Amino acid sequence: MLKRIALISLLVILAFVTVQAQDTQPVTPAAREIYTVLSYGDDVFEPDTWLASASEEPTRTTGQWRNDSVGGLAYLDYIHFDTPILEAQLGDSFGPAWFDAVLYNYDEWRELTTCTVDGIIIHDFSLLENNLKYTMRYWVQWVSESRVLAMFVIFPTDDSANLSTYSERLFPNAAVCAG
């Protein structure tokens, strides 16, 4: 009986020490790319008026922010490349064929301007959807040989103030094409 009490006491002490050791270990969440994507909107889109969502897939991680009260939409596509992509390839990879695919749901679309500012390619588009006119600002930024950021913001065409405001918040040094 004394051996049994000693064994139980030893097990209780070991369990206590194990729990204490676990409690003192720092807990760090795994770095998830979904958090990287969502962080782009942290200081940009007010959480009381913009709804955020995100998803992870093998080929991309995406984030979306939507503000129905002003008709605003922002979408970030953090594209994954298995084979390296160089910054110099962005213009070819994100050209007419890319936008034909990205904008195929719109009734009409037309590119207004394109330029490169601080290594970021900026495209402005005029869009028509259900007889409503929108303006889209679209940025393409090389992040690494395996990641490219493609992001756009859309507002009704008559709301250029919000388009400018959110463009400046997202890309302060590359908010718009000059001129």
Side-chain angles (χ1 to χ4, degrees), residues 7 15 23 46 54 75 78 86 95 119 121 128 132 135 147 150 155 167:
L7 180 61
D23 287 345
E46 301 86 356
Y75 185 84
Y78 207 61
L86 303 176
I121 302 170
L128 183 66
L132 299 172
T135 303
R147 297 293 186 268
F155 280 96
S167 295

Side-chain angles (χ1 to χ4, degrees), residues 64-153:
Q64 178 178 301
W65 298 265
R66 194 180 85 237
N67 184 332
D68 293 336
S69 66
V70 294
L73 173 69
Y75 185 84
L76 190 151
D77 195 358
Y78 207 61
I79 305 165
H80 310 168
F81 288 88
D82 293 332
T83 56
I85 183 167
L86 303 176
E87 191 170 2
Q89 295 173 293
L90 290 183
D92 295 331
S93 299
F94 294 87
W98 174 262
F99 290 111
D100 282 339
V102 169
L103 302 174
Y104 77 94
N105 279 330
Y106 289 93
D107 298 333
E108 294 178 23
W109 64 272
R110 178 172 54 93
E111 187 167 16
L112 302 172
T113 60
T114 187
C115 66
T116 302
V117 178
D118 288 343
I120 301 171
I121 302 170
I122 307 167
H123 300 270
D124 280 347
F125 292 96
S126 172
L127 309 170
L128 183 66
E129 178 65 24
N130 294 325
N131 292 320
L132 299 172
K133 292 181 180 181
Y134 296 92
T135 303
M136 170 192 278
R137 182 138 317 131
Y138 197 105
W139 297 269
V140 179
Q141 181 180 25
W142 185 84
V143 177
S144 71
E145 289 185 346
S146 65
R147 297 293 186 268
V148 170
L149 178 146
M151 181 166 196
F152 65 77
V153 175

Side-chain angles (χ1 to χ4, degrees), residues 11-71:
L11 290 174
V12 168
I13 291 170
L14 285 174
F16 179 76
V17 169
T18 301
V19 169
Q20 286 291 88
Q22 288 176 353
D23 287 345
T24 61
Q25 297 298 318
V27 177
T28 55
R32 302 283 306 249
E33 215 166 59
I34 200 166
Y35 300 123
T36 301
V37 166
L38 286 171
S39 72
Y40 277 88
D42 284 348
D43 296 326
V44 176
F45 304 109
E46 301 86 356
D48 57 330
T49 56
W50 289 84
L51 299 175
S53 62
S55 69
E56 292 177 302
E57 299 175 28
T59 59
R60 64 187 7 104
T61 305
T62 62
Q64 178 178 301
W65 298 265
R66 194 180 85 237
N67 184 332
D68 293 336
S69 66
V70 294

